[in-house]
Amino acid sequence: MTSMNLLLNDGASLPALGFGTYPLKGAEAIRSVSTALDLGYRLIDSAANYENESEVGQAVAQADAEGVRAVVTTKLPGRDHGYDQTMRSFEGSLRKLGRIDLYLIHWPNPRHGRYLDAWRAMVELQRAGRVRSIGVSNFTEQHLREVADATGVMPSVNQIELHPEFPQAALRRIHAEFGVLTESWSPFGEGRTFDHPAVTGPAAHYKRTPAQIVLRWHVQLGSVPLPKASGDERQRENLDVFDFALTEAEMAAITGLGRPDGRLWGGDPETNEEM
Ligand SMILES: NC(=O)c1ccc[n+]([C@@H]2O[C@H](COP(=O)([O-])OP(=O)(O)OC[C@H]3O[C@@H](n4cnc5c(N)ncnc54)[C@H](OP(=O)(O)O)[C@@H]3O)[C@@H](O)[C@H]2O)c1
């Protein structure tokens, strides 16, 4: 079980670790998400652009029928920004997923300048009780300020690239100030730090794998990691990070692996286009 829950600024709670579903598709997506739910994951991360919402919905419906209730997340694609488009896109995602608990704007796509209207629609969806929590992904401090100033509603979550080589200290501080919960995408950073002494040292000391050390680092930062693993062995391993703790020095050493050019593939929110 994910043994911790975090409080969102809208009063809802979110498990401290979730399951990433990209790029799982088809039968593999149903199988992997079902296994994750069986093992105890209670937060599932999907997106319209992952093209797996129907499969995630099938696995979630099966778990719901067995009394296992997870927080279902999906994301609005860039092509559907704008008020009416967001409303339509939400209905399409909802049909596939069965329910949506946390709805995020996937990327700001600032060149297109329509994320504010998308956010207005999301605020309305939440007011109407269609979705429990609303948030964003890949937003900068300026994007967060802008949507909150325009609507009076600060996103509950900002899901951002975050891993030891890109620890996002400045944006995490802003999140803390604004009351926004951080979620970490690509939490392993492609395992680039798995051989580094800052990770292998604690791994040997606590008899854990490098992946578990990195996930524990996210949890102690207060950021919700969303590891993806197709097989049940790694899924189990990734969930098993709630019975040991890194020291402050160990945490600082991992955060110290950060580099200004640490992004995996250059997904800069100011310029990246996700449609
Ligand atoms: N909001 C966004 O813009 C955005 C962008 C990217 C990703 N995401 C979300 O974040 C999730 C995670 O990102 P990601 O898939 O890029 O990166 P990730 O979860 O950091 O890494 C996944 C990779 O790590 C491997 N892995 C899993 N558990 C492992 C373990 N215990 N030891 C060693 N290797 C392990 C997986 O292999 P196997 O699957 O073969 O086990 C897979 O190749 C996505 O699924 C998606 O939900 C969001």
Side-chain angles (χ1 to χ4, degrees), residues 71-85:
V71 176
V72 178
T73 308
T74 197
K75 312 187 194 83
L76 174 77
R79 64 180 174 281
D80 290 339
H81 286 195
Y83 190 91
D84 294 338
Q85 295 93 323

PDB file of all heavy atoms in Angstrom, residues 71-85:
ATOM      1  N   VAL A  71      -7.306   7.144  -7.334  1.00  0.00           N
ATOM      2  CA  VAL A  71      -7.463   8.485  -7.894  1.00  0.00           C
ATOM      3  C   VAL A  71      -7.063   8.418  -9.375  1.00  0.00           C
ATOM      4  O   VAL A  71      -5.926   8.071  -9.703  1.00  0.00           O
ATOM      5  CB  VAL A  71      -6.561   9.503  -7.142  1.00  0.00           C
ATOM      6  CG1 VAL A  71      -6.645  10.880  -7.783  1.00  0.00           C
ATOM      7  CG2 VAL A  71      -6.942   9.560  -5.670  1.00  0.00           C
ATOM      8  N   VAL A  72      -8.012   8.739 -10.247  1.00  0.00           N
ATOM      9  CA  VAL A  72      -7.770   8.642 -11.690  1.00  0.00           C
ATOM     10  C   VAL A  72      -7.447  10.028 -12.246  1.00  0.00           C
ATOM     11  O   VAL A  72      -8.247  10.960 -12.131  1.00  0.00           O
ATOM     12  CB  VAL A  72      -9.021   8.071 -12.408  1.00  0.00           C
ATOM     13  CG1 VAL A  72      -8.791   8.006 -13.910  1.00  0.00           C
ATOM     14  CG2 VAL A  72      -9.367   6.690 -11.850  1.00  0.00           C
ATOM     15  N   THR A  73      -6.258  10.127 -12.835  1.00  0.00           N
ATOM     16  CA  THR A  73      -5.807  11.401 -13.416  1.00  0.00           C
ATOM     17  C   THR A  73      -5.782  11.299 -14.928  1.00  0.00           C
ATOM     18  O   THR A  73      -5.325  10.296 -15.475  1.00  0.00           O
ATOM     19  CB  THR A  73      -4.352  11.703 -12.978  1.00  0.00           C
ATOM     20  OG1 THR A  73      -4.246  11.604 -11.574  1.00  0.00           O
ATOM     21  CG2 THR A  73      -3.914  13.079 -13.445  1.00  0.00           C
ATOM     22  N   THR A  74      -6.242  12.343 -15.610  1.00  0.00           N
ATOM     23  CA  THR A  74      -5.953  12.441 -17.041  1.00  0.00           C
ATOM     24  C   THR A  74      -5.649  13.892 -17.386  1.00  0.00           C
ATOM     25  O   THR A  74      -5.744  14.775 -16.525  1.00  0.00           O
ATOM     26  CB  THR A  74      -7.063  11.831 -17.916  1.00  0.00           C
ATOM     27  OG1 THR A  74      -6.515  11.625 -19.234  1.00  0.00           O
ATOM     28  CG2 THR A  74      -8.289  12.709 -17.998  1.00  0.00           C
ATOM     29  N   LYS A  75      -5.232  14.101 -18.649  1.00  0.00           N
ATOM     30  CA  LYS A  75      -4.739  15.445 -19.024  1.00  0.00           C
ATOM     31  C   LYS A  75      -5.330  15.906 -20.343  1.00  0.00           C
ATOM     32  O   LYS A  75      -5.479  15.122 -21.282  1.00  0.00           O
ATOM     33  CB  LYS A  75      -3.208  15.429 -19.131  1.00  0.00           C
ATOM     34  CG  LYS A  75      -2.505  14.786 -17.952  1.00  0.00           C
ATOM     35  CD  LYS A  75      -1.003  14.942 -18.003  1.00  0.00           C
ATOM     36  CE  LYS A  75      -0.340  13.999 -17.018  1.00  0.00           C
ATOM     37  NZ  LYS A  75      -0.170  12.628 -17.540  1.00  0.00           N
ATOM     38  N   LEU A  76      -5.622  17.204 -20.361  1.00  0.00           N
ATOM     39  CA  LEU A  76      -6.175  17.858 -21.545  1.00  0.00           C
ATOM     40  C   LEU A  76      -5.065  18.097 -22.574  1.00  0.00           C
ATOM     41  O   LEU A  76      -4.051  18.712 -22.244  1.00  0.00           O
ATOM     42  CB  LEU A  76      -6.757  19.208 -21.103  1.00  0.00           C
ATOM     43  CG  LEU A  76      -7.274  20.127 -22.203  1.00  0.00           C
ATOM     44  CD1 LEU A  76      -8.643  19.644 -22.692  1.00  0.00           C
ATOM     45  CD2 LEU A  76      -7.362  21.573 -21.697  1.00  0.00           C
ATOM     46  N   PRO A  77      -5.251  17.648 -23.825  1.00  0.00           N
ATOM     47  CA  PRO A  77      -4.208  17.863 -24.836  1.00  0.00           C
ATOM     48  C   PRO A  77      -4.211  19.293 -25.371  1.00  0.00           C
ATOM     49  O   PRO A  77      -5.249  19.979 -25.348  1.00  0.00           O
ATOM     50  CB  PRO A  77      -4.585  16.876 -25.950  1.00  0.00           C
ATOM     51  CG  PRO A  77      -6.056  16.694 -25.822  1.00  0.00           C
ATOM     52  CD  PRO A  77      -6.398  16.885 -24.359  1.00  0.00           C
ATOM     53  N   GLY A  78      -3.072  19.737 -25.878  1.00  0.00           N
ATOM     54  CA  GLY A  78      -2.914  21.105 -26.370  1.00  0.00           C
ATOM     55  C   GLY A  78      -3.930  21.476 -27.443  1.00  0.00           C
ATOM     56  O   GLY A  78      -4.409  22.605 -27.481  1.00  0.00           O
ATOM     57  N   ARG A  79      -4.281  20.526 -28.304  1.00  0.00           N
ATOM     58  CA  ARG A  79      -5.207  20.849 -29.401  1.00  0.00           C
ATOM     59  C   ARG A  79      -6.598  21.205 -28.894  1.00  0.00           C
ATOM     60  O   ARG A  79      -7.390  21.791 -29.625  1.00  0.00           O
ATOM     61  CB  ARG A  79      -5.308  19.658 -30.373  1.00  0.00           C
ATOM     62  CG  ARG A  79      -5.899  18.397 -29.762  1.00  0.00           C
ATOM     63  CD  ARG A  79      -5.986  17.224 -30.736  1.00  0.00           C
ATOM     64  NE  ARG A  79      -6.415  16.013 -30.051  1.00  0.00           N
ATOM     65  CZ  ARG A  79      -5.644  15.238 -29.303  1.00  0.00           C
ATOM     66  NH1 ARG A  79      -4.360  15.530 -29.176  1.00  0.00           N
ATOM     67  NH2 ARG A  79      -6.128  14.165 -28.706  1.00  0.00           N
ATOM     68  N   ASP A  80      -6.900  20.845 -27.646  1.00  0.00           N
ATOM     69  CA  ASP A  80      -8.235  21.099 -27.095  1.00  0.00           C
ATOM     70  C   ASP A  80      -8.275  22.261 -26.105  1.00  0.00           C
ATOM     71  O   ASP A  80      -9.255  22.436 -25.376  1.00  0.00           O
ATOM     72  CB  ASP A  80      -8.782  19.828 -26.424  1.00  0.00           C
ATOM     73  CG  ASP A  80      -9.115  18.743 -27.436  1.00  0.00           C
ATOM     74  OD1 ASP A  80      -9.309  19.083 -28.623  1.00  0.00           O
ATOM     75  OD2 ASP A  80      -9.158  17.567 -27.040  1.00  0.00           O
ATOM     76  N   HIS A  81      -7.211  23.087 -26.055  1.00  0.00           N
ATOM     77  CA  HIS A  81      -7.295  24.281 -25.207  1.00  0.00           C
ATOM     78  C   HIS A  81      -8.404  25.191 -25.739  1.00  0.00           C
ATOM     79  O   HIS A  81      -8.799  25.099 -26.900  1.00  0.00           O
ATOM     80  CB  HIS A  81      -5.966  25.045 -25.217  1.00  0.00           C
ATOM     81  CG  HIS A  81      -4.882  24.380 -24.422  1.00  0.00           C
ATOM     82  ND1 HIS A  81      -3.723  25.022 -24.052  1.00  0.00           N
ATOM     83  CD2 HIS A  81      -4.783  23.126 -23.926  1.00  0.00           C
ATOM     84  CE1 HIS A  81      -2.957  24.201 -23.363  1.00  0.00           C
ATOM     85  NE2 HIS A  81      -3.569  23.030 -23.272  1.00  0.00           N
ATOM     86  N   GLY A  82      -8.844  26.113 -24.883  1.00  0.00           N
ATOM     87  CA  GLY A  82     -10.005  26.932 -25.231  1.00  0.00           C
ATOM     88  C   GLY A  82     -11.167  26.441 -24.378  1.00  0.00           C
ATOM     89  O   GLY A  82     -11.157  25.277 -23.939  1.00  0.00           O
ATOM     90  N   TYR A  83     -12.152  27.313 -24.117  1.00  0.00           N
ATOM     91  CA  TYR A  83     -13.219  26.972 -23.165  1.00  0.00           C
ATOM     92  C   TYR A  83     -14.105  25.818 -23.667  1.00  0.00           C
ATOM     93  O   TYR A  83     -14.202  24.761 -23.036  1.00  0.00           O
ATOM     94  CB  TYR A  83     -14.058  28.215 -22.861  1.00  0.00           C
ATOM     95  CG  TYR A  83     -15.022  28.011 -21.712  1.00  0.00           C
ATOM     96  CD1 TYR A  83     -14.654  28.308 -20.410  1.00  0.00           C
ATOM     97  CD2 TYR A  83     -16.295  27.489 -21.936  1.00  0.00           C
ATOM     98  CE1 TYR A  83     -15.530  28.106 -19.356  1.00  0.00           C
ATOM     99  CE2 TYR A  83     -17.173  27.287 -20.878  1.00  0.00           C
ATOM    100  CZ  TYR A  83     -16.786  27.600 -19.591  1.00  0.00           C
ATOM    101  OH  TYR A  83     -17.649  27.377 -18.560  1.00  0.00           O
ATOM    102  N   ASP A  84     -14.732  26.005 -24.813  1.00  0.00           N
ATOM    103  CA  ASP A  84     -15.667  24.982 -25.318  1.00  0.00           C
ATOM    104  C   ASP A  84     -14.944  23.686 -25.669  1.00  0.00           C
ATOM    105  O   ASP A  84     -15.449  22.592 -25.425  1.00  0.00           O
ATOM    106  CB  ASP A  84     -16.415  25.506 -26.554  1.00  0.00           C
ATOM    107  CG  ASP A  84     -17.335  26.668 -26.191  1.00  0.00           C
ATOM    108  OD1 ASP A  84     -17.690  26.778 -25.001  1.00  0.00           O
ATOM    109  OD2 ASP A  84     -17.661  27.461 -27.095  1.00  0.00           O
ATOM    110  N   GLN A  85     -13.763  23.842 -26.257  1.00  0.00           N
ATOM    111  CA  GLN A  85     -12.992  22.657 -26.629  1.00  0.00           C
ATOM    112  C   GLN A  85     -12.634  21.833 -25.389  1.00  0.00           C
ATOM    113  O   GLN A  85     -12.666  20.604 -25.417  1.00  0.00           O
ATOM    114  CB  GLN A  85     -11.690  23.061 -27.349  1.00  0.00           C
ATOM    115  CG  GLN A  85     -11.904  23.741 -28.683  1.00  0.00           C
ATOM    116  CD  GLN A  85     -11.944  25.261 -28.535  1.00  0.00           C
ATOM    117  OE1 GLN A  85     -12.478  25.796 -27.549  1.00  0.00           O
ATOM    118  NE2 GLN A  85     -11.398  25.960 -29.515  1.00  0.00           N
TER     119      GLN A  85
END
